[in-house]
Amino acid sequence: MAGTRGDAEYHRLRTPRAAAVAGVVFGVLFASSIVLLRSALPGAAGTPWVSHQTQITAALVLAPFAGIAFLWFIGVIRDRLGELEDRFFSTVFLGSGLLFLATTFVSMALAGGMLAISRLPTAPQNDLVYFGREVMLHVNNVYGVRMAGVFMISLGTIWLRTGLMPRWLAVATYVLSLTLLVVVSFSLWVTLVFPVWVMVISVYILAVDRPESVPPD
């Protein structure tokens, strides 16, 4: 009979355990794209770089998939918080994560623009490429890294208050996040701190959430 729901079954959407792998995927893809990009771009004005177009293209291909994996990682973290989620810290956590993702995409778009310039023989490549490189580094290492630091410190605070993560892991998150917020450096190693941290968190979640084996009857 229309309108009756007696025989209908409803299932609550649950985050698949495999979704935690998204953090590892993000860490690998993001770190790879950053390393490829930073090793291909010129270190100074006038440095030849046209021969590294393949590296830049590969970095641009990997970056969007890293962003998608990062969104899944955010979803996994929020799912673990569940009813313990605090509106204030969750807003900061989500907002900083999305801003980090936005700055990453902007920097990659700049790299794509520099790659396009390299294919125009009439363009003043050296000056334009060096300008684009400096803007990209500022977007990544000044704004993106700091948004990553805010993302980490908000999660560290949530974990300390809820006890969802071990205290040592929350304290380590605090230390790393404060380092990213205070240190101003264009070093590649500073940029890699965040993806490595995401990988560690994801591996821990996968290890802790391992399903228990059912004893045989």
Side-chain angles (χ1 to χ4, degrees), residues 154-178:
S154 60
L155 270 185
T157 302
I158 292 173
W159 290 339
L160 282 176
R161 291 192 171 192
T162 60
L164 288 175
M165 287 289 189
R167 188 174 183 83
W168 66 266
L169 190 54
V171 172
T173 298
Y174 256 107
V175 173
L176 291 175
S177 63
L178 290 175

Side-chain angles (χ1 to χ4, degrees), residues 11 15 20 26 34 37 70 98 104 118 130 139 142 193 199 217:
H11 300 278
T15 302
F26 162 76
I34 291 295
L37 193 58
F70 184 67
L98 294 178
T104 298
S118 70
Y130 189 70
V139 171
V142 176
V193 168
M199 291 178 64
D217 296 334

Side-chain angles (χ1 to χ4, degrees), residues 11-201:
H11 300 278
R12 179 177 178 270
L13 285 176
R14 297 184 61 85
T15 302
R17 179 175 176 271
V21 180
V24 178
V25 174
F26 162 76
V28 173
L29 294 182
F30 181 77
S32 300
S33 64
I34 291 295
V35 170
L36 286 171
L37 193 58
R38 293 287 292 272
S39 61
L41 294 180
T47 304
W49 70 297
V50 180
S51 59
H52 300 294
Q53 290 189 15
T54 303
Q55 287 180 240
I56 298 175
T57 302
L60 296 179
V61 171
L62 294 177
F65 295 101
I68 294 170
F70 184 67
L71 288 176
W72 276 74
F73 173 74
I74 292 178
V76 170
I77 296 297
R78 292 198 66 192
D79 179 70
R80 284 181 60 85
L81 292 176
E83 297 180 356
L84 299 176
E85 188 174 35
D86 177 83
R87 291 183 181 180
F88 174 78
F89 288 107
S90 293
T91 300
V92 177
F93 150 72
L94 183 60
S96 58
L98 294 178
L99 284 174
F100 165 79
L101 199 57
T103 56
T104 298
F105 284 166
V106 168
S107 66
M108 289 296 172
L110 287 169
M114 289 185 285
L115 183 63
I117 289 174
S118 70
R119 296 167 179 163
L120 299 176
T122 58
Q125 293 185 19
N126 289 339
D127 294 337
L128 289 176
V129 168
Y130 189 70
F131 170 77
R133 173 186 178 274
E134 291 301 305
V135 174
M136 189 195 72
L137 288 177
H138 278 78
V139 171
N140 262 338
N141 286 57
V142 176
Y143 298 98
V145 165
R146 277 168 173 72
M147 287 300 100
V150 174
F151 181 88
M152 293 168 66
I153 202 170
S154 60
L155 270 185
T157 302
I158 292 173
W159 290 339
L160 282 176
R161 291 192 171 192
T162 60
L164 288 175
M165 287 289 189
R167 188 174 183 83
W168 66 266
L169 190 54
V171 172
T173 298
Y174 256 107
V175 173
L176 291 175
S177 63
L178 290 175
T179 301
L180 294 183
L181 288 172
V182 174
V183 173
V184 178
S185 172
F186 289 165
S187 171
L188 174 63
W189 299 108
V190 173
T191 312
L192 294 179
V193 168
F194 184 64
V196 171
W197 173 83
V198 171
M199 291 178 64
V200 171
I201 298 300

